[in-house]
Amino acid sequence: MSVIALAPRHWIAVALIWIVAACAATAQESTAFFEIESLNEGLGPPPEDLDRATPQSTMEALLDLVREGDRTTAAHLLDLSDIATEEQAAKGPRLAADLVQVLDRKAVINWSDLLERPDALETRGSSDNPVAGQPQRSILIDIVDLETRPVALRLNRVKPEDGSPVWVFSSQTVANIPALHALYGPTWIEEELPPSWREEAAWGLMRWELVGLPLLIGLATLAGLFIGRLQAAVAARVRSRTLTDILRATRTPIIVAVVTGTAALVTDAIFIFSGKIDTVLTPLIVLGFTAAAILFVLNGVDAVLNRIVPFDDDNLFDANMEDRRNLATRIAAGRRILIVLIVIVGGGVVLSEANLTSALGLSLLASAGALTLLIGFAARHILGNILASLQIAMNRSAKIGDTVLYRDYWCNVERINFTYVQLRSWTGARIVAPVSEFVNEPFENWTMREPSIIRQVEIRLAHDAAVAPLREVFYEFVDKGDIEGLGERDSHMVLTTGHDVFGKTVTFCVACADANSSWTASCAMREALLERMAEMQADGRPMFPKVTPAESA
C-alpha cells in the first residue's frame, strides 16, 4: 500500500485544520448546556438507573414513572431551582404528576424532535433548518395558552457544578405547571369517575373520552336544533317585517355560535379532553366562532342592502331604472369584495388562534409550498370566476336588471354572483352561466346605453310579391298604436335584405321604446303582418313563395 508523500507545509496545514475543528467541537460542546450551581438538592441523589442523558429518555422516563406511580423519582426530571430546597421533596412529585396531565391534555409531543443524543444534534436535518448540525441545549415541546398569554413547555440541558449535563424540564416550565394544571387539569366530574374510566382504553384515549366525545357532539347538536326551532317559532309570531328580517338573517349564525359555544363550554368546564382530541377540537371551535361571525356580518349586510335595493324587485328591469341598476350592481360588487376581505381576515384569525400549522402537522406542506400549490390548483377556476365577476362590476358590461341576448336566450340579468351569473329568460326559466364563460363570450346588451332597440322581423316573400303595399300595411300598424311599446315612426323601416332562387327576404325593422318588451312587440307585429299577407294572398296578389317542403329542404 503506497502512502502519498506530502510536503512539510501540507502536513502543517492538515494539522491546523484538525486543531481548529477540535477547538470548534470543544467550544460547541462547552456551550451546549446551561451551567447551574446545583440541581434539586432537596430531592437527594437521583436513582442510578434514571436516564436523563437525552431529551427522549427524559420524556419517556417522566411519562412512564408517573403512570407507574413513582412520582418521587419523576420529580428528578424537573428543574426545581426556583423552589425552596426544603419544599422540593413535597412539591416535586406533585408537579411531575400535574405536568404529565398537562402534556396528555394539551401538548402534542413531536417525538422526532426529541433525539436520542446527549447533544440533541440533528444530523439528518435540511439545510433550511437553523439548528441542523448544531448541538442544542433547549428544545420546545409545545406552546400552551394560559388565560393571559401563551407559555412554552421546554426541555433544557443543564449542568450542575458537581455533575454531568442532564436533560430536565426547565425551571420556567415548572413555574407554569400550577397555572396550567388549574386550567387544563381534570374537572370535578372527571375526579368523581371510577378509576377504571380514567384508564387508557384505545388509541391512547381514556374510557370516559370514548363516551364523552359522542355525548359532546350530541349535546351540541341538540342545542343547535333547540335554538333553531325556538327562533323559527318566534319568527312565525312576529308581525313586524323588520324583526322578521333580523330573525332570518341571524338564525344560521346564531345556530353555529350556539353549537360552537356549547362545545367550548363543555370542553372548558366539564370535560378536558386529551391532546389528541383537543388538537382537532380547538381549531374547530375557533373555526366555528369565526364562521358564525362571518355569517352574522354577511347576512346582516345582505338584509340592509336588500332594504336599500331589493334585488328581487322587477322594477329593476324597467327602462327608466338605469341609475337603480347601476346602484344594485355596485352594491353586489361591494358585497363580493367584503366577503373576500372577511374570509381572508377570518382565515388569518383561525390560523393564528388555533395554530393549525403546528397542531395538525401541516407545516411540512406549508414549508415546501405544497399546500399553496394544491390550493391554487384546486381553486384556479373559482378565483378566475371571482375576478371575472369583479371585472363585470367595474366595466359595467352587464348590470343587474339589464336585458341581454346570451347564446340566443333573451333574458334579464338577475344576479352576478362570485362564480356564476343568473339570468331570467322571458319564460321565467333561470339560466346559470359561469362568470368566466359569460365574460369571454360575446353577448348583446340591449339596455347598456339606452332602453330603445330595433327588432328585426324577417319574412320570406315570392319573387313577384310587391313590397310597397306591405310597407304601407306596416306603417298602418305602427300608426294605429294597437301594438304596445313601439317607438317613434321615423325609426321604423322596411328593407329588402336578401334573395335566392326561392324568393326574397323582406326585413321589417320594428323600433321599440323598451328592450324589455321589444320581443313581445316584434312577435305581435309579425303576427299582424302574416294575417294581412294571407288576406292579400287570398285576393290573388302573390305573397308567399310557392315552394314545397322537399324543395326548401
Side-chain angles (χ1 to χ4, degrees):
M1 185 171 115
S2 61
V3 178
I4 299 175
L6 297 177
R9 65 177 182 274
H10 293 159
W11 285 108
I12 294 173
V14 171
L16 289 174
I17 291 174
W18 277 102
I19 292 172
V20 171
C23 292
T26 303
Q28 283 186 341
E29 177 64 25
S30 65
T31 58
F33 49 75
F34 298 99
E35 295 184 357
I36 58 176
E37 294 182 1
S38 61
L39 179 63
N40 303 340
E41 290 183 347
L43 298 180
E48 293 182 0
D49 59 347
L50 180 61
D51 188 2
R52 300 181 292 176
T54 67
Q56 189 175 115
S57 63
T58 296
M59 180 64 74
E60 289 176 345
L62 177 70
L63 299 178
D64 291 341
L65 290 171
V66 171
R67 286 166 184 168
E68 292 171 1
D70 190 357
R71 300 181 179 182
T72 302
T73 304
H76 288 279
L77 301 169
L78 310 181
D79 184 356
L80 304 175
S81 302
D82 293 339
I83 299 176
T85 304
E86 61 274 11
E87 297 178 358
Q88 290 178 359
K91 293 185 177 180
R94 180 61 185 176
L95 289 172
D98 291 348
L99 176 59
V100 169
Q101 288 186 334
V102 172
L103 290 173
D104 285 341
R105 293 168 183 269
K106 295 303 294 183
V108 178
I109 301 174
N110 187 358
W111 289 96
S112 62
D113 290 341
L114 303 178
L115 302 177
E116 192 64 24
R117 288 178 57 110
D119 57 2
L121 188 144
E122 176 59 75
T123 59
R124 297 175 299 175
S126 169
S127 58
D128 296 332
N129 188 350
V131 300
Q134 299 291 331
Q136 299 182 71
R137 59 179 183 175
S138 182
I139 296 178
L140 177 65
I141 304 300
D142 204 348
I143 296 178
V144 182
D145 289 329
L146 281 178
E147 293 181 347
T148 57
R149 70 189 188 282
V151 297
L153 303 178
R154 284 188 174 274
L155 277 172
N156 283 351
R157 192 183 189 207
V158 299
K159 181 184 180 302
E161 292 180 352
D162 57 348
S164 302
V166 293
W167 285 92
V168 293
F169 282 88
S170 68
S171 58
Q172 185 59 50
T173 298
V174 173
N176 291 323
I177 290 176
L180 290 171
H181 188 264
L183 192 60
Y184 301 117
T187 62
W188 63 272
I189 294 181
E190 296 176 47
E191 296 288 354
E192 295 296 328
L193 293 175
S196 60
W197 281 71
R198 298 197 294 270
E199 295 177 356
E200 186 174 314
W203 306 299
L205 303 177
M206 291 177 282
R207 284 191 174 89
W208 72 261
E209 290 181 295
L210 297 177
V211 177
L213 185 59
L215 287 178
L216 170 64
I217 297 174
L219 183 62
T221 303
L222 289 176
L225 292 175
F226 172 76
I227 199 67
R229 292 186 177 181
L230 178 62
Q231 204 166 6
V234 173
R237 297 185 179 183
V238 170
R239 301 301 179 189
S240 172
R241 180 186 172 187
T242 302
L243 290 177
T244 302
D245 291 343
I246 292 174
L247 291 172
R248 288 178 179 175
T250 58
R251 182 181 182 186
T252 300
I254 286 178
I255 291 175
V256 174
V258 168
V259 170
T260 307
T262 302
L265 179 63
V266 171
T267 54
D268 285 342
I270 301 177
F271 293 117
I272 307 296
F273 288 94
S274 61
K276 293 182 179 179
I277 298 178
D278 186 74
T279 301
V280 178
L281 277 181
T282 298
L284 289 179
I285 289 173
V286 176
L287 183 62
F289 282 126
T290 304
I294 291 175
L295 290 174
F296 186 83
V297 173
L298 292 181
N299 290 355
V301 169
D302 283 345
V304 173
L305 294 182
N306 198 48
R307 282 299 187 94
I308 299 175
V309 180
F311 292 93
D312 296 328
D313 190 359
D314 290 339
N315 291 329
L316 285 175
F317 306 143
D318 191 275
N320 299 319
M321 288 293 180
E322 177 70 14
D323 294 339
R324 198 169 182 83
R325 289 199 295 271
N326 285 329
L327 178 61
T329 305
R330 292 193 188 99
I331 288 176
R335 178 183 178 275
R336 292 194 293 276
I337 295 174
L338 178 64
I339 291 175
V340 172
L341 294 177
I342 289 177
V343 170
I344 292 175
V345 173
V349 170
V350 172
L351 290 175
S352 61
E353 293 295 329
N355 197 16
L356 288 176
T357 53
S358 62
L360 299 180
L362 298 180
S363 56
L364 294 177
L365 289 175
S367 62
L371 182 61
T372 304
L373 291 176
L374 289 174
I375 294 177
F377 181 79
R380 65 192 188 281
H381 293 302
I382 297 176
L383 294 176
N385 282 320
I386 291 174
L387 294 177
S389 68
L390 295 178
Q391 175 186 343
I392 294 177
M394 289 186 290
N395 60 29
R396 290 185 290 178
S397 57
K399 302 180 295 296
I400 294 176
D402 278 358
T403 303
V404 298
L405 184 67
Y406 176 72
R407 292 183 178 179
D408 296 330
Y409 289 103
W410 172 62
C411 43
N412 298 104
V413 179
E414 268 195 329
R415 291 281 193 279
I416 303 176
N417 295 302
F418 267 119
T419 57
Y420 67 92
V421 177
Q422 179 178 312
L423 309 173
R424 187 179 74 176
S425 69
W426 66 276
T427 61
R430 265 61 178 184
I431 301 168
V432 177
V435 180
S436 56
E437 294 184 11
F438 186 80
V439 172
N440 292 330
E441 292 188 11
F443 59 89
E444 295 182 14
N445 191 330
W446 294 353
T447 53
M448 185 171 182
R449 292 294 181 183
E450 54 186 17
S452 60
I453 190 174
I454 295 178
R455 297 279 299 180
Q456 298 178 5
V457 177
E458 294 184 351
I459 299 179
R460 179 63 65 87
L461 301 178
H463 284 292
D464 54 351
V467 178
L470 292 178
R471 183 176 287 108
E472 294 178 0
V473 170
F474 174 72
Y475 281 106
E476 176 188 339
F477 292 145
V478 172
D479 295 334
K480 277 185 178 180
D482 293 338
I483 300 176
E484 297 182 358
L486 299 181
E488 297 180 359
R489 190 179 194 277
D490 295 339
S491 300
H492 299 270
M493 293 179 290
V494 178
L495 305 172
T496 302
T497 55
H499 74 283
D500 53 25
V501 295
F502 300 110
K504 55 188 174 182
T505 302
V506 177
T507 301
F508 299 87
C509 301
V510 183
C512 302
D514 185 2
N516 291 305
S517 59
S518 62
W519 189 81
T520 305
S522 64
C523 291
M525 179 62 75
R526 179 183 286 106
E527 181 180 348
L529 288 171
L530 290 174
E531 288 180 357
R532 182 62 63 87
M533 290 169 64
E535 295 176 0
M536 296 170 69
Q537 179 87 13
D539 292 340
R541 287 184 284 182
M543 284 291 151
F544 302 109
K546 297 179 180 180
V547 180
T548 63
E551 291 175 334
S552 62

